[in-house]
Amino acid sequence: TAPPASLSSNYQAAVALAPEDWLLHANFARLLEAAGDDPRATAQWLEVARLLPDSPQAWASLGRLARIAGDQARAEDYLREGLKQQPDSVELLTESGISKAGRGATQDALHQFRAALRLQPGFTPARVNLGVLLAHEGDAAGAATQYREELRWHTNNVDARINLANLLSTQGQTGQAMVLYEQAVKLQPENPIARYNFGRLLAANNRPADAVTNFEAALQQRPDTAEIHYELGNALARLGKDPDALAQFAEAARLKPDLVDARFNYGVALARSARYTEAVAEFRATLRLRPQHALAQRMLDEASRAARQSPRAPPN
């Protein structure tokens, strides 16, 4: 396949030759979105909307891209115009719901998602986003109902599985959550969210070795996520693999210096390795971030004493 840059220049030439071909503009817009070039994608979707004003995909894409860019008002303008042209578009109703939820208009968002589902009960984005919004509003039972309904329509939907598992695990329904996570990682072995959340549940249920497997799989996809390194460090520490745990805490602290628990656990791991001077620095960093961290204060005092007594400590 041709590299994206080459495809982009080909499309650029093609739309210059056929500026009234809406399908060409739409395909170019999709390519630009896939390449992460949202501003140029927006320009192409605007051309589609000009040439084909009743295109739900053009208006929904414009709304989504404006929302991602942080221009909520423009997003809603695009979506309003789209719904004026196509009031029964499930794509536009759903994107409108997402936009309204993002600015805190919960009831309006619920209305849009439910309107979309009345038109097309099996429309996944509306169903899953309705569940997410209900969960955010504290209606766990309502959210679980939506996720289960989505799984009735689409048995292999991984997002609905993960969301339902997250919900059940917070409610203490560990067995059901475990099954859902296992199914999710079987369906999508490289899904970092499924792996990370499954790892956390396994760690919480005294299965650190299995947790390590899942955290390591998550890191294959998200190597720069501090929280995964931190959780992996905790699981390794529980397995007695202190040097490996220390390396993970160090990486978590490097990637996200304000991650308090990572700084504290890194300090603990350094102290356990008799690297007291470095441990002191981490406990001080912890206390700068969270001054009331009583355990960090106690560990700082102990590490400071040990550093002074250590023959390897540099002279004052």
Side-chain angles (χ1 to χ4, degrees):
T1 58
S6 169
L7 277 174
S8 179
S9 61
N10 289 345
Y11 266 112
Q12 192 73 59
V15 296
L17 290 169
E20 301 303 298
D21 186 336
W22 70 266
L23 186 56
L24 202 53
H25 285 289
N27 287 336
F28 191 17
R30 292 188 195 97
L31 175 75
L32 291 166
E33 279 194 64
D37 192 344
D38 289 356
R40 289 176 69 208
T42 295
Q44 292 304 315
W45 284 122
L46 282 168
E47 284 300 296
V48 178
R50 178 182 69 81
L51 294 163
L52 199 70
D54 62 350
S55 165
Q57 189 177 18
W59 295 112
S61 298
L62 286 165
R64 184 183 68 256
L65 290 170
R67 169 173 59 81
I68 290 168
D71 193 341
Q72 203 73 36
R74 180 167 292 186
E76 300 226 356
D77 285 345
Y78 286 141
L79 296 167
R80 200 176 298 112
E81 181 60 32
L83 284 167
K84 195 186 301 177
Q85 301 282 344
Q86 293 279 8
D88 289 345
S89 163
V90 291
E91 292 89 351
L92 284 165
L93 286 165
T94 300
E95 183 56 46
S96 176
I98 294 168
S99 183
K100 290 177 187 302
R103 65 175 174 82
T106 302
Q107 292 308 312
D108 290 342
L110 291 171
H111 175 79
Q112 298 295 74
F113 292 141
R114 286 174 174 144
L117 290 168
R118 278 195 297 274
L119 291 162
Q120 193 175 323
F123 190 60
T124 293
R127 184 75 66 188
V128 171
N129 277 289
L130 175 56
V132 169
L133 183 55
L134 289 169
H136 183 264
E137 292 299 304
D139 184 359
T145 297
Q146 296 303 323
Y147 298 142
R148 288 195 170 101
E149 181 67 6
E150 172 58 24
L151 290 170
R152 193 175 70 80
W153 282 93
H154 303 104
T155 308
N156 291 340
N157 185 299
V158 171
D159 289 342
R161 254 189 188 72
I162 294 170
N163 290 352
L164 181 55
N166 293 346
L167 203 62
L168 293 172
S169 66
T170 62
Q171 295 177 319
Q173 298 181 53
T174 303
Q176 288 184 57
M178 286 276 193
V179 170
L180 288 162
Y181 284 133
E182 284 169 355
Q183 292 169 343
V185 299
K186 189 173 182 180
L187 287 164
Q188 284 185 7
E190 296 182 350
N191 187 305
I193 298 169
R195 289 289 195 173
Y196 174 69
N197 288 343
F198 190 24
R200 292 188 70 194
L201 186 62
L202 289 163
N205 284 273
N206 202 32
R207 290 172 59 183
D210 292 329
V212 165
T213 300
N214 282 278
F215 292 138
E216 287 178 340
L219 281 175
Q220 291 293 315
Q221 303 302 315
R222 301 275 178 85
D224 293 335
T225 303
E227 288 80 1
I228 305 176
H229 286 284
Y230 166 70
E231 296 289 358
L232 176 55
N234 286 336
L236 289 165
R238 288 178 64 186
L239 291 169
K241 298 182 176 181
D242 288 348
D244 293 336
L246 188 148
Q248 294 302 323
F249 293 138
E251 185 63 4
R254 184 187 71 80
L255 289 165
K256 196 170 183 180
D258 61 349
L259 188 58
V260 177
D261 292 338
R263 302 302 294 262
F264 175 72
N265 283 17
Y266 184 27
V268 172
L270 288 164
R272 288 175 67 171
S273 300
R275 291 164 60 180
Y276 301 116
T277 303
E278 293 167 86
V280 164
E282 291 306 314
F283 294 134
R284 283 183 176 146
T286 303
L287 288 163
R288 277 196 299 274
L289 293 164
R290 191 181 295 165
Q292 304 307 314
H293 199 308
L295 189 52
Q297 184 61 61
R298 196 172 85 216
M299 295 294 289
L300 172 61
D301 295 340
E302 291 177 8
S304 297
R305 275 196 301 275
R308 285 194 297 271
Q309 294 164 5
S310 170
R312 286 177 293 173
N316 292 326

